[in-house]
Amino acid sequence: QVQLVESGGGLVQPGGSLRLSCAASINLFGTYAMAWYRQAPGKQRELVAAISSDGSTNYADSMKGRFTISRDNAKNTVTLQMNSLKPEDTAVYYCHAKKVGNLYWGRGTQVTVSS
């Protein structure tokens, strides 16, 4: 059974940093495209950052230069380093795995940016 388990969320002050991790119990992890999404209260879920099976990355415009996504195929993990956090980054952050015909979501981890 596939499981994606996020960790690392919490409360941080504006300008601070957090590092989110996603541990994936999934066969052939390296063949999956991985991503982080987020959903703020009253808003639609949106893409934060994605990393393909070959390591190429893409980011939502508002995250470029502040967030970094990476993966460790040996450990079946994907991380999201978030710097210069803003109150508008407050949301539940979800890990996502995708391969043709297969989509998986984690349960999410709360990130709150507030003074």
Side-chain angles (χ1 to χ4, degrees), residues 1-114:
Q1 183 177 356
V2 173
Q3 279 192 317
L4 302 176
V5 180
E6 302 94 337
S7 61
L11 173 64
V12 64
Q13 292 187 342
S17 298
L18 279 176
R19 185 176 179 86
L20 304 184
S21 293
C22 172
S25 299
I26 189 169
N27 287 332
L28 301 176
F29 172 80
T31 64
Y32 280 76
M34 301 299 297
W36 287 94
Y37 285 74
R38 71 184 186 186
Q39 188 166 19
K43 295 188 177 182
Q44 289 188 329
R45 193 171 295 189
E46 62 175 350
L47 176 68
V48 174
I51 184 164
S52 68
S53 57
D54 66 5
S56 59
T57 59
N58 68 282
Y59 299 89
D61 286 344
S62 61
M63 286 62 148
K64 288 180 181 177
R66 298 190 301 125
F67 292 7
T68 303
I69 189 170
S70 59
R71 66 190 297 161
D72 186 334
N73 290 338
K75 296 181 178 180
N76 282 21
T77 58
V78 60
T79 60
L80 183 70
Q81 177 67 43
M82 305 187 295
N83 299 326
S84 303
L85 284 162
K86 306 174 183 179
E88 52 264 41
D89 294 318
T90 295
V92 178
Y93 284 70
Y94 296 90
C95 183
H96 177 261
K98 181 178 71 173
K99 193 167 70 170
V100 175
N102 297 285
L103 298 174
Y104 304 102
W105 291 95
R107 292 189 174 185
T109 185
Q110 176 69 46
V111 171
T112 302
V113 185
S114 175

